[in-house]
Amino acid sequence: MTKPTLSRTIFWTTIAFLFLPLVVLMVFSFNEGRTMVWKGFSLKWYESLFGNQPRLWAAVVNTLIVAFTASTVATLIGTLGAIAINWYRFKAKSYVQALSFLPLILPEIIIGVSLLVFFRMLGMELNLFTIILAHISFTIPFVLLMVMARLGEFDYSIIEAARDLGANENQTLLKVILPISVPGILAGFITAFTLSLEDFVVTFFVTGSGSDTLPIYIYNQIKRKLPPEINAFSVVLIGATVFLLFFARRSIKYFVKT
Amino acid sequence: MKGSEVRVENADKKFGDFHALKNVSLTIGKGEFFSLLGPSGCGKTTLLRIIAGFEGLSSGAVYLDGKDVLPLPPNERHVNTVFQNYALFPHLSVFENIAFPLRLKKMDKAAIQEKVTQYLQLVHLVGQENKKPNQLSGGQKQRVAIARALINEPSVLLLDEPLSALDAKLRHQLLLDLDLIHDQIGITFIYVTHDQSEALSVSDRIAVMSEGRVLQIGTPFEIYEAPADSFVAKFIGETNILDGRITAHEGNLYTIDTDGVGPIQVTSDREFAVGARVRHAIRPEKIDITKEKPAGLPDDFTILHGKVAESIYSGFQSQFYVETVGSLQFKVYQQHESYIERGPAIRWTDEVYINWDADDGYIVELI
Amino acid sequence: MKSRSGTLYSLPLTVWISLFFLVPMAIVLLYSFLARETGGGVRWVFDLGAYAEIFKQTADGRFIYLDIVWYTLLMAVGATLLTILIALPCAYYIARAKNNTLLLFLVIIPFWVNFMIRIYAWVAILGQSGILNESLLALGILKDPIQFLFNDTAVLVVLVYTNLPFAILPLFTTIEKFDFGLLEAARDLGASHTRSLWSVLLPNIRGGIITAVLFTFIPIFGTFAVPDVMGNSNVFMLGQLITSKLKFTGDYPMASSLSVLILILSGVGLVVYTLYNNNQAKQRHVVIEEDTL
């Protein structure tokens, strides 16, 4: 079997390309100077980051609030919906199936525009609440995907068996369906959470002043000037993300084992 | 409470355009081991699921000890199912799977422990209770499914092809176990299968189904020796079919002229007119095969001359395909009851005579 | 089995998606057929102006809006092409490697970093005082810094950067299912390595390629953030046009009509994808049927 040398070169070059910006950020977060000229090692930007950037951290707090709230609600709605689509018959089924997965194929800008127009039409004020509503909306399809993937591994006869043995609808849901769905539910929650943290475009449309999330804040900063604290912050964020995801992966593994 | 009587009356079921059950009626007695036997798509599983409560009927009724069960959802019927693919709860241990129905009823811990242990003993799974389903073999999984279905003490146990996912030796063992359990517990068993040897070996009675209809209900002996029509005759065991016209009739002895092969004789309890065209069946094990023309046989024996077209040796038995006049092929089984020196006496391309007693043949139906 | 649980469990989902997908998009569709209210908003009068406006020409014959649409199309095609060209060999390499989970991880890790921060990083690299310039100046290759930002190339680079995983993953999934023994068979019959890849591998991963193309092209076509940051006003794509119309000019009908344009494109893409999948399923079905006869 011939070794794929050309593709190997392309692959590793691509990996370098993908990691390059991050490495640059990390290196220059320790830079003494303000610009991208190396002036010496320094932790001053980290100090400034943690001491001197209230608006940045306010944005972080907003982002977290939105992410937690939106993912929780999306997971609730999505999990129940996934169970219904996968294993039950109901009137609006084909409608729900078709519509639910639509956001996956649409560019985010369409979702942003439609929600903004909608909120405006209702006369709603744009703030964290509208952001949360928007985030729930575009993360639900992902929760559906994750939970349905998990449910698809099991045969419907399990539900029939539960009913056969005396369980009513409630008991079937709580004692059989939900326990076996846990890995999917978790995956859905984490996916929703991640997407919410990341989101720029949709948030950009439905945000009001004073309710900046992190991506919006950074965007505004880029447009005006580039404070070096952003470098340090990027590194902190990368570190936090890696840590969280590592932690999440271990918890998922734990749940999947049981 | 021992078994219940199950009565199906004029059951009709359509899935869209597909007519799954066509006016099926049958009664299963208390404590019977009753099999629904037929090929795929005959409606046997549909009927079972209707009795279990997973499907409804387009028209007709199902009674359990005289009470109409159709309005009841599955969790309210005193009927439990053993599924084809076991349907064990993957997140629960063996113990918890079996205990599941009891936990639903909020039985107390000690009582659950006692009862589950009792049923673990019944299915020979003591010691496995902490394992998860994915750590069990196919046979073990099925035993868990059986214990779980029985612990509720239902009055009817429904089994949906419970052995089809297992390999041959295991199937045989588990089938015998099921028979034993049935004897011990005494409730009604309704067993769905496409395997006629399974049905024949353990059933009290069998309903042979095809394309949504019940063709015959009877004991294994009746089904085998007196099939109601060609389908049943061909589906159960092996048989040789001869079509012909009745040329003579004396008492219960009929002479049939089968085109090409010549006259054969058969007895029947039913009345057939001379000149009627009938279908005749004779099972391979009832035909005797000899190298020389047999002498001294009673008059009502049918004797035919032919050539061995194929011979298959299976140790305890040889199967022969004998081609007679008119290019008819007869399947003949010969049991080797005693040691044969230097191999079987009858071989491929040998000229042979086959014969059978008129009582052993059977007129299946008019055609 | 009659069960009202299905309706109950699906209710929150049905309500939510009807309220927050269907209704808003219906409103957008509706608005595209209304007239514009000066100062923002709409007048409830049927008006095809928003669509007509798309074809508006200036005095010297330039189609201001169609130009933007065309430009966006070109950029999207270019970015998608580049992305797929890079993603294919990468996915191929990962699929053939022994530790593909690890390699996939490497591809995905950069994407755990916040989207905006990744874009910012490119500004830090390509900007006038960015690292590229500083390095070239320090090496003496340049005397004055060049503006690498705010042009097509910068936007293209970052578009490819942000969309690579969305192309690599579906391609990997399809290539992984491919039986590499077929390539050996082709070699055995005399084909060169390249020829076997071209004639045997590519046709069999068509499905994955189509998925990758769709999931790359459609988001890129509607992209806003990347051209806005990396291109400023020098690069002006459809996404920016819509944003400008909606947030700055308050021209709701036109923002809506342009959005409908994107919707139609996405719809076409979805139909193509579904038809392809159904076609594949039908072909498989025919084979299975023939077998059982």
Side-chain angles (χ1 to χ4, degrees):
Chain A
M1 198 155 64
T2 47
K3 278 225 180 73
T5 39
L6 178 63
S7 51
R8 181 169 52 176
T9 323
I10 296 182
F11 177 74
W12 290 110
T13 316
T14 310
I15 295 288
F17 173 61
L18 289 177
F19 275 88
L20 173 70
L22 310 181
V23 171
V24 166
L25 279 181
M26 281 172 69
V27 167
F28 280 88
S29 68
F30 296 107
N31 187 18
E32 173 64 42
R34 277 197 147 255
T35 63
M36 299 307 258
V37 181
W38 185 257
K39 288 226 174 72
F41 187 89
S42 162
L43 284 174
K44 74 186 206 193
W45 304 117
Y46 285 91
E47 285 171 33
S48 169
L49 173 68
F50 287 105
N52 214 3
Q53 298 284 332
R55 287 187 52 216
L56 173 68
W57 292 105
V60 172
V61 169
N62 282 343
T63 311
L64 286 172
I65 293 177
V66 170
F68 266 112
T69 320
S71 346
T72 310
V73 177
T75 306
L76 274 167
I77 298 179
T79 303
L80 283 177
I83 294 173
I85 293 177
N86 220 299
W87 281 338
Y88 289 88
R89 288 179 288 204
F90 55 96
K91 274 210 192 96
K93 192 162 177 176
S94 14
Y95 163 76
V96 168
Q97 268 178 293
L99 204 57
S100 305
F101 292 108
L102 210 56
L104 291 177
I105 189 120
L106 292 176
E108 286 197 279
I109 194 168
I110 303 290
I111 302 177
V113 169
S114 60
L115 283 174
L116 175 60
V117 163
F118 179 60
F119 291 143
R120 276 269 155 77
M121 186 172 164
L122 290 177
M124 288 177 80
E125 187 188 317
L126 298 175
N127 51 27
L128 274 189
F129 181 61
T130 49
I131 298 179
I132 293 176
L133 289 178
H135 280 218
I136 296 174
S137 307
F138 76 76
T139 53
I140 284 181
F142 291 95
V143 175
L144 275 177
L145 266 179
M146 297 286 155
V147 178
M148 280 177 75
R150 171 68 179 172
L151 291 180
E153 292 171 24
F154 299 103
D155 196 64
Y156 183 65
S157 55
I158 294 184
I159 304 210
E160 289 181 340
R163 305 268 298 145
D164 182 70
L165 295 166
N168 57 30
E169 292 293 352
N170 228 344
Q171 291 168 315
T172 311
L173 179 69
L174 292 170
K175 286 181 182 277
V176 178
I177 302 182
L178 286 180
I180 61 177
S181 316
V182 166
I185 297 178
L186 226 58
F189 180 83
I190 291 175
T191 310
F193 191 79
T194 314
L195 288 170
S196 172
L197 285 180
E198 280 267 297
D199 183 70
F200 172 72
V201 178
V202 177
T203 316
F204 181 71
F205 278 94
V206 297
T207 192
S209 55
S211 61
D212 284 354
T213 60
L214 196 58
I216 305 286
Y217 177 79
I218 298 176
Y219 170 79
N220 288 330
Q221 294 297 89
I222 296 178
K223 283 286 183 170
R224 291 180 214 138
K225 61 174 175 69
L226 294 164
E229 285 87 346
I230 292 276
N231 288 345
F233 181 72
S234 309
V235 176
V236 170
L237 200 61
I238 294 172
T241 314
V242 172
F243 173 74
L244 267 172
L245 272 138
F246 185 68
F247 176 69
R249 215 167 155 249
R250 296 189 104 218
S251 349
I252 293 183
K253 268 200 182 151
Y254 170 73
F255 274 106
V256 169
K257 273 215 187 96
T258 51
Chain B
M1 171 200 284
K2 290 279 178 157
S4 281
E5 176 201 72
V6 178
R7 187 156 52 93
V8 176
E9 238 173 48
N10 304 112
D12 208 90
K13 174 73 181 174
K14 282 204 179 81
F15 290 104
D17 280 334
F18 177 59
H19 204 165
L21 289 176
K22 301 172 186 160
N23 205 3
V24 168
S25 294
L26 47 83
T27 305
I28 301 169
K30 290 186 203 242
E32 258 200 294
F33 196 127
F34 191 92
S35 292
L36 298 174
L37 174 65
S40 303
C42 68
K44 56 192 193 291
T45 303
T46 308
L47 183 57
L48 197 78
R49 286 171 61 83
I50 289 170
I51 300 174
F54 302 127
E55 305 278 358
L57 275 180
S58 307
S59 70
V62 176
Y63 299 97
L64 216 66
D65 286 333
K67 279 191 288 225
D68 187 4
V69 287
L70 286 179
L72 295 175
N75 57 331
E76 284 175 37
R77 300 191 191 188
H78 231 74
V79 166
N80 281 125
T81 309
V82 176
F83 294 83
Q84 190 172 6
N85 59 357
Y86 329 123
L88 297 183
F89 302 126
H91 61 298
L92 298 176
S93 65
V94 167
F95 186 93
E96 284 304 328
N97 257 286
I98 300 176
F100 185 82
L102 305 179
R103 291 220 186 270
L104 289 176
K105 290 195 218 164
K106 306 229 196 301
M107 215 183 253
D108 71 85
K109 266 181 106 172
I112 291 185
Q113 180 70 42
E114 202 192 308
K115 223 163 172 203
V116 173
T117 314
Q118 184 192 341
Y119 280 84
L120 278 168
Q121 285 168 341
L122 179 69
V123 295
H124 310 303
L125 277 178
V126 178
Q128 312 286 342
E129 48 266 35
N130 289 321
K131 290 207 180 142
K132 282 277 180 64
N134 60 1
Q135 297 170 294
L136 301 173
S137 70
Q140 288 172 319
K141 283 191 225 180
Q142 199 51 287
R143 289 172 203 271
V144 176
I146 294 169
R148 185 180 69 174
L150 287 174
I151 204 165
N152 245 341
E153 293 177 358
S155 58
V156 181
L157 185 68
L158 306 175
L159 302 110
D160 185 5
E161 305 209 48
L163 308 182
S164 60
L166 304 170
D167 61 56
K169 273 241 160 77
L170 206 53
R171 244 183 278 164
H172 189 69
Q173 180 61 49
L174 216 50
L175 190 61
L176 293 178
D177 287 343
L178 273 173
D179 199 15
L180 264 162
I181 294 175
H182 174 252
D183 290 336
Q184 273 176 273
I185 299 201
I187 61 175
T188 312
F189 273 30
I190 304 182
Y191 188 87
V192 162
T193 182
H194 61 271
D195 184 328
Q196 37 106 9
S197 59
E198 261 174 37
L200 289 174
S201 34
V202 293
S203 318
D204 291 325
R205 283 192 307 150
I206 304 174
V208 181
M209 293 178 71
S210 169
E211 291 185 354
R213 277 184 235 276
V214 172
L215 301 176
Q216 184 174 7
I217 302 177
T219 64
F221 180 77
E222 286 164 5
I223 304 267
Y224 188 80
E225 296 292 357
D229 66 16
S230 311
F231 179 88
V232 178
K234 284 189 254 190
F235 188 77
I236 310 287
E238 296 285 346
T239 193
N240 295 294
I241 300 279
L242 284 170
D243 293 342
R245 192 183 312 276
I246 298 181
T247 53
H249 162 180
E250 202 185 301
N252 69 346
L253 182 67
Y254 291 85
T255 309
I256 303 175
D257 183 38
T258 57
D259 333 286
V261 175
I264 61 172
Q265 300 192 80
V266 62
T267 58
S268 176
D269 292 333
R270 290 170 287 165
E271 282 279 331
F272 294 98
V274 170
R277 262 188 88 79
V278 291
R279 178 155 288 164
H280 171 274
I282 175 74
R283 299 235 179 240
E285 70 274 9
K286 300 197 165 55
I287 303 177
D288 193 23
I289 183 169
T290 54
K291 268 209 146 125
E292 273 98 43
K293 184 160 183 179
L297 288 175
D299 286 336
D300 59 355
F301 266 65
T302 304
I303 304 173
L304 298 174
H305 179 86
K307 197 165 156 176
V308 176
E310 219 182 296
S311 106
I312 301 168
Y313 177 71
S314 357
F316 68 101
Q317 177 191 80
S318 280
Q319 295 180 14
F320 299 103
Y321 285 85
V322 177
E323 210 172 286
T324 62
V325 168
S327 300
L328 242 82
Q329 281 220 358
F330 280 84
K331 204 167 183 190
V332 182
Y333 290 169
Q334 183 192 58
Q335 200 95 329
H336 299 306
E337 290 162 346
S338 54
Y339 173 64
I340 298 172
E341 208 176 315
R342 279 183 271 113
I346 298 176
R347 282 182 250 248
W348 179 49
T349 67
D350 280 354
E351 302 246 337
V352 290
Y353 288 88
I354 57 177
N355 70 79
W356 67 84
D357 190 339
D359 284 329
D360 287 336
Y362 184 71
I363 297 181
V364 178
E365 57 188 356
L366 285 164
I367 52 169
Chain C
M1 178 163 71
K2 264 178 271 215
S3 165
R4 265 166 306 155
S5 296
T7 322
L8 190 66
Y9 298 159
S10 63
L11 202 62
L13 182 65
T14 317
V15 168
W16 191 279
I17 59 175
S18 305
L19 195 57
F20 291 98
F21 291 166
L22 197 63
V23 169
M25 287 207 265
I27 295 178
V28 166
L29 188 63
L30 184 66
Y31 273 19
S32 70
F33 290 106
L34 296 179
R36 188 186 163 177
E37 179 72 80
T38 43
V42 289
R43 268 186 301 136
W44 289 86
V45 178
F46 181 76
D47 190 343
L48 284 174
Y51 287 98
E53 183 87 355
I54 300 179
F55 297 93
K56 178 164 148 190
Q57 279 180 285
T58 58
D60 46 338
R62 269 196 319 137
F63 287 93
I64 27 173
Y65 297 124
L66 277 184
D67 276 352
I68 298 177
V69 175
W70 180 245
Y71 177 72
T72 309
L73 203 66
L74 287 176
M75 285 291 276
V77 169
T80 308
L81 215 64
L82 270 173
T83 311
I84 301 287
L85 278 174
I86 300 178
L88 260 174
C90 289
Y92 176 72
Y93 180 74
I94 301 177
R96 294 209 77 157
K98 280 194 205 107
N99 45 351
N100 34 27
T101 325
L102 178 65
L103 294 179
L104 273 178
F105 230 51
L106 279 180
V107 169
I108 295 180
I109 288 179
F111 286 79
W112 291 350
V113 176
N114 206 295
F115 176 62
M116 252 314 144
I117 290 186
R118 276 181 278 135
I119 298 184
Y120 160 68
W122 279 102
V123 174
I125 295 176
L126 297 177
Q128 281 231 290
S129 36
I131 185 159
L132 188 58
N133 269 313
E134 295 295 342
S135 321
L136 292 176
L137 282 171
L139 287 173
I141 299 178
L142 284 179
K143 282 222 192 68
D144 292 309
I146 302 181
Q147 180 56 282
F148 290 107
L149 275 181
F150 308 146
N151 55 40
D152 305 333
T153 319
V155 174
L156 267 173
V157 167
V158 181
L159 279 177
V160 171
Y161 183 82
T162 45
N163 278 282
L164 267 174
F166 298 115
I168 295 183
L169 284 175
L171 282 174
F172 166 74
T173 317
T174 313
I175 297 182
E176 207 216 353
K177 295 196 192 115
F178 178 75
D179 177 13
F180 289 108
L182 290 176
L183 290 181
E184 289 182 353
R187 298 298 307 272
D188 185 64
L189 293 167
S192 69
H193 186 58
T194 331
R195 182 71 200 275
S196 63
L197 285 176
W198 181 259
S199 313
V200 179
L201 178 66
L202 280 186
N204 278 297
I205 56 174
R206 242 196 325 232
I209 296 182
I210 292 184
T211 311
V213 166
L214 273 175
F215 278 86
T216 310
F217 182 78
I218 293 181
I220 292 183
F221 189 74
T223 189
F224 161 70
V226 173
D228 188 58
V229 174
M230 300 302 292
N232 223 359
S233 11
N234 293 355
V235 175
F236 203 64
M237 292 173 70
L238 196 51
Q240 295 155 284
L241 178 62
I242 294 178
T243 312
S244 150
K245 288 283 169 190
L246 195 59
K247 282 199 136 191
F248 307 137
T249 330
D251 187 350
Y252 280 42
M254 191 162 187
S256 304
S257 64
L258 289 168
S259 300
V260 169
L261 198 69
I262 297 187
L263 259 172
I264 293 176
L265 183 91
S266 312
V268 168
L270 192 60
V271 167
V272 166
Y273 182 66
T274 321
L275 281 178
Y276 178 78
N277 271 344
N278 286 347
N279 197 0
Q280 290 299 93
K282 252 185 245 154
Q283 287 183 355
R284 263 178 257 133
H285 189 68
V286 169
V287 173
I288 292 170
E289 279 200 6
E290 286 179 2
D291 248 3
T292 50
L293 285 174

